[in-house]
């Protein structure tokens, strides 16, 4: 039974047994001197051997681990003795210092070693093997760790997650603690990701009133920002006021006043859209109006049509060795005669061949054409099929993060436009309003744009329904390919994709490139998926497990990606003596793991041979090459672009043996296994099933319950998104 009395113990950290860097929970051994070693548990982020602690808490008896001290409060001091300083430096106290270097530093500076590192890092060059550059890096690392720890302790003391400190520090640096005390609501920023309720609780604890203007405005802005993630470009005023009032439990009237103040300050914009008072974040309003204006300008601008167009198209066919269908030919002509054009169609309808013909024609016309797509995989596939270089939109635009503004910026813009006469954008349905604004802004006034995609797939993860809105507005010349070519028609993947899109239950007979395996329980579904990846496909069909992508509608439940990733990691990349590991939050990362970047990071440096660059983006998939526990880094290969993550950046990576269908948008895989068993009704939809099926190139296996397939096929409800783009384009189009 736990002992009820409160106690105080103090000593020096001897060993850190476990640390959860997501919430700061730590298990360590504390050398208390005459009382010997004590096991301590509690929220003690960044604990390091050699550090001195004075702890308040209580003793308890754990049934498996024996007597433990549960720390509730801590006073922590840097080590002061030579021995303790050595232990602190040698065992992870400062990034870049190992046991050998730690001993040399302590021998050189004794008890002043930490003072030198913090205040005079240039003196470290007196130590053998430490260069001036390395000395400055060590100094920065020490100061960063100290500042990060103080920030963590403050947040954890207020009941918040320690991982927020890492993101705050990355944006605000040494000013992070002051910034969050001045305005806790900055933590709700998308790049930091705190829950609004956590920031709100902290604000009230710090003295912000329940009806303070800061709180009311922050809540309204949060609702607008949060709903961007649900695809909404604006929110009707009445709905915004109601949702905000409910969020913070105040009267709707004072929220309405706060909304008016935000409008006066220029933080939001109000405008009537289809009889509703639409409320936009100012930046999103600018994005929507600028996209509409530029698209309308392009649609109304007649470019120079090359003489002998028919002959040039014949030449393109000849060079490609194809015979274009009537629809494909119309699409090529449309691209030649218009500054902006749309090409859409389902799988097997010849979009790729048409794009290749358009590219050939543009080359004959002397146009410098750039190929781009929203994701790395889509860009790579586009480049391979067209035998030309293709880049992601982010890399094409030179995406970077502006530390002063705390927002992403694009180097390519109206002042420094792309050196292109034409841009062909594939997988355009994935592009949200903000990215479309950036692309259009970076194009010269006379630059052509061809938008290519499948309007029946899931819409963009970000705000808006840009591709669909442009098509439905009728403002842009659009060619929809419908004829399925004979070779594609032989694919059961293609045939079933079109059946699903037409509202018909797919043909679940096994054969060719499409298989369905009925499983009646989640346990059997998961067991079959593991068996397929580990044994059956590699052994029977010669498909390496690295070429298989497991998809699920959801992260949750037994058949969701969270559980599947844990089990697939154990099956496909089990632990080994030579495999380093790092536990971070809910995940155990291991050398050899398949991982995915889950948010845009414009600052991560990468190298590809002799070429270097910056930026790893949401949805990029790679494999862990190395985990260095001394340097506290993880090296990831994103298809030949090698990037190095510090441990505190691991919040940006997740295992990717299994991913949600939303995360797989824009990607194509040799083999797809789709887990069709359970999910929320909103996810079990026809667009999601259609998108999942069309991710497979050579082989698709659906594992699960045919009743779920039926539900998904019949559920064609599409999430309504508040957007004014279609209306703006309709009102300005020239018929």
């Amino acid at each position: 039974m736990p002992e009820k009395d409160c106690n105080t113990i103090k000593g020096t950290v001897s060993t850190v047994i476990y640390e959860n860097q997501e919430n700061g929970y730590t298990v360590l051994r504390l050398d208390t001197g005459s009382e010997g070693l004590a096991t301590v548990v509690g929220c003690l982020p960044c604990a390091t051997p050699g550090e001195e602690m004075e702890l308040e808490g209580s003793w308890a008896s754990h049934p498996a681990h024996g007597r433990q001290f549960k720390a509730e409060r801590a006073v922590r001091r840097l080590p002061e003795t030579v021995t303790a300083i050595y232990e602190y430096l040698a065992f992870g106290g400062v990034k870049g210092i190992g046991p050998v270097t730690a001993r040399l530093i302590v021998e050189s500076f004794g008890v002043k070693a930490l003072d030198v590192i913090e205040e005079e890092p240039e003196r470290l060059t007196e130590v053998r093997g430490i260069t001036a550059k390395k000395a400055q890096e060590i100094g920065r690392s020490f100061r960063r760790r100290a500042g990060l720890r103080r920030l963590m302790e403050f947040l954890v003391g207020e009941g918040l997650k320690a991982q927020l400190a890492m993101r705050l520090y990355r944006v605000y640096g040494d000013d992070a603690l002051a910034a969050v005390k001045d305005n806790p609501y900055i933590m709700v920023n998308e790049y930091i990701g705190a829950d609004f309720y956590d920031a709100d609780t902290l604000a009230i604890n710090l003295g912000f009133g329940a009806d303070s203007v800061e709180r009311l405005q922050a809540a309204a802005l949060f609702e607008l920002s949060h709903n961007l993630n649900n695809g909404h470009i604006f929110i009707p005023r009445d709905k915004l006021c109601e949702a905000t009032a409910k969020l913070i439990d105040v009267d709707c009237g004072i929220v309405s006043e706060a909304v008016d103040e935000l409008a006066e300050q220029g933080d939001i914009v109000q405008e009537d859209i289809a009889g509703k008072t639409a409320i936009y974040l100012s930046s999103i309003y600018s994005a929507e109006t600028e996209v509409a204006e530029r698209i309308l300008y392009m649609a109304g601008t007649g470019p120079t049509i090359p003489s002998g167009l028919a002959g040039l198209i014949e030449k393109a066919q000849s060079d490609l060795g194809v015979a274009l269908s009537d629809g494909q030919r119309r699409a090529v002509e449309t691209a030649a005669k218009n500054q902006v054009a749309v090409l859409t169609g389902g799988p097997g309808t010849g979009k790729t061949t048409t794009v290749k013909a358009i590219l050939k024609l543009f080359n004959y016309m002397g146009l410098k054409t750039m190929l781009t797509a929203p994701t790395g995989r889509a860009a790579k596939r586009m480049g391979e099929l067209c035998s030309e270089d293709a880049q992601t939109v982010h890399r094409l635009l030179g995406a970077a993060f502006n530390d002063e503004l705390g927002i992403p910026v694009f180097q390519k813009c109206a002042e420094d436009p792309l050196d292109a006469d034409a841009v062909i954008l594939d997988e355009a349905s994935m592009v949200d309003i903000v990215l479309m604004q950036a692309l259009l802004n970076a194009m010269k006034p006379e630059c052509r744009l061809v938008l290519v995609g499948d309007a029946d797939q899931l819409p963009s993860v970000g705000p808006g329904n840009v591709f669909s809105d442009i098509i439905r507005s009728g403002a842009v010349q659009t060619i929809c390919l419908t004829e399925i070519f004979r070779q594609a028609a032989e694919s059961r993947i293609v045939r079933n994709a079109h059946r699903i899109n037409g509202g018909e239950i797919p043909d679940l007979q096994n054969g060719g490139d499409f298989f369905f395996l009925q499983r009646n329980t989640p346990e059997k579904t998961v067991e079959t998926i593991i068996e397929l990846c580990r044994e059956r496909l590699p052994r029977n069909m010669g498909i390496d497990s690295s070429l298989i992508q497991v998809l699920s509608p959801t992260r949750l439940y037994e058949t969701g990606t969270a559980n599947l990733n844990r089990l697939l990691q154990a099956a496909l990349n089990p632990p080994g003596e030579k495999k380093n590991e790092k536990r971070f939050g809910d995940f155990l990362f291991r050398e050899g793991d398949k991982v995915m970047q889950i948010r845009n990071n414009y600052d991560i440096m990468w190298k590809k041979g002799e070429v270097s660059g910056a930026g790893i983006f949401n949805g990029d998939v790679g494999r862990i090459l190395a985990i260095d526990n001394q340097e506290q880094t993880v090296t990831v290969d994103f298809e030949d672009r090698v990037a190095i993550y510090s441990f505190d950046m691991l919040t940006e990576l997740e295992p990717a043996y299994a991913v949600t269908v939303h995360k797989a948008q824009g990607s194509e895989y040799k083999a797809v296994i789709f887990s069709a068993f359970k999910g929320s009704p909103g996810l079990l939809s026809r667009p999601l099933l259609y998108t999942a099926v069309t991710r497979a190139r050579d082989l698709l296996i659906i594992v699960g319950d045919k009743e779920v397939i039926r539900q998904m096929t019949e559920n064609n409800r599409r999430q309504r998104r508040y957007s004014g783009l279609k209306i703006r384009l309709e009102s300005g189009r020239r018929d």
Side-chain angles (χ1 to χ4, degrees), residues 9 196 217 267 332 349 352 407 469 479 557 654 702 723:
I9 64 172
F196 178 83
Q217 292 184 0
D267 294 310
V332 177
T349 57
T352 299
I407 58 173
D469 282 351
I479 299 297
Y557 313 114
E654 285 188 359
I702 299 178
S723 164

Side-chain angles (χ1 to χ4, degrees), residues 193-384:
D195 184 89
F196 178 83
Y197 290 107
D198 288 339
D200 195 41
T201 300
L202 176 58
I204 291 174
N205 290 345
L206 292 176
F208 288 78
D211 60 353
S212 68
V213 66
E214 295 93 343
R215 184 174 189 245
L216 295 170
Q217 292 184 0
L221 291 173
F222 167 74
E223 283 292 343
L224 286 169
S225 298
H226 175 73
N227 277 285
L228 294 178
N229 298 324
N230 294 328
H232 300 303
I233 289 182
F234 69 81
I235 299 294
R237 183 185 173 104
D238 57 344
K239 291 185 179 295
L240 174 64
C241 291
E242 290 170 8
T244 303
K246 184 177 180 181
L247 177 72
I248 57 177
D249 194 23
V250 297
D251 184 73
C252 204
I254 61 173
V255 173
S256 184
E257 294 174 7
V259 169
D260 287 336
E261 291 170 2
L262 286 169
E264 290 177 11
Q265 295 165 196
D267 294 310
I268 64 172
V269 174
Q270 303 187 71
E271 185 174 294
D272 286 339
I273 299 288
K276 301 179 185 294
T277 301
I279 307 293
Y280 292 81
L281 289 170
S282 293
S283 60
I284 303 301
Y285 177 81
S286 296
E288 183 177 270
T289 53
E290 288 177 18
V291 167
E293 289 169 4
R294 183 64 185 272
I295 291 291
L296 287 169
Y297 166 80
M298 295 173 73
T301 301
T304 301
I305 301 173
S307 60
L309 177 59
L312 292 177
I313 295 175
E314 291 299 328
K315 178 174 169 52
Q317 290 188 102
S318 176
D319 287 353
L320 291 171
V322 298
L324 297 175
S325 68
D326 290 343
Q328 290 175 314
R329 189 181 184 92
R330 283 197 306 274
V332 177
E333 290 175 347
T334 300
K337 294 178 179 179
N338 294 273
Q339 192 176 357
V340 59
V342 170
L343 171 64
T344 186
T349 57
K351 292 194 301 295
T352 299
T353 298
T354 308
V355 168
K356 291 163 73 173
I358 292 171
L359 181 59
K360 282 283 186 187
L361 179 61
F362 283 176
N363 289 340
Y364 301 153
M365 294 166 60
L367 302 179
K368 182 175 182 181
T369 305
M370 289 185 171
L371 306 180
T372 189
T375 68
R377 281 183 173 270
K380 183 178 181 181
R381 184 179 76 247
M382 186 185 193
E384 290 172 347

Side-chain angles (χ1 to χ4, degrees), residues 167-204:
R167 299 175 193 165
L168 279 163
Y169 200 90
R170 194 169 300 128
V171 175
Y172 295 98
D174 293 337
D175 298 325
L177 183 55
V180 79
K181 286 182 176 180
D182 184 58
N183 181 9
Y185 296 106
I186 63 173
M187 296 190 300
V188 185
N189 178 297
E190 65 173 304
Y191 303 105
I192 295 166
D195 184 89
F196 178 83
Y197 290 107
D198 288 339
D200 195 41
T201 300
L202 176 58
I204 291 174

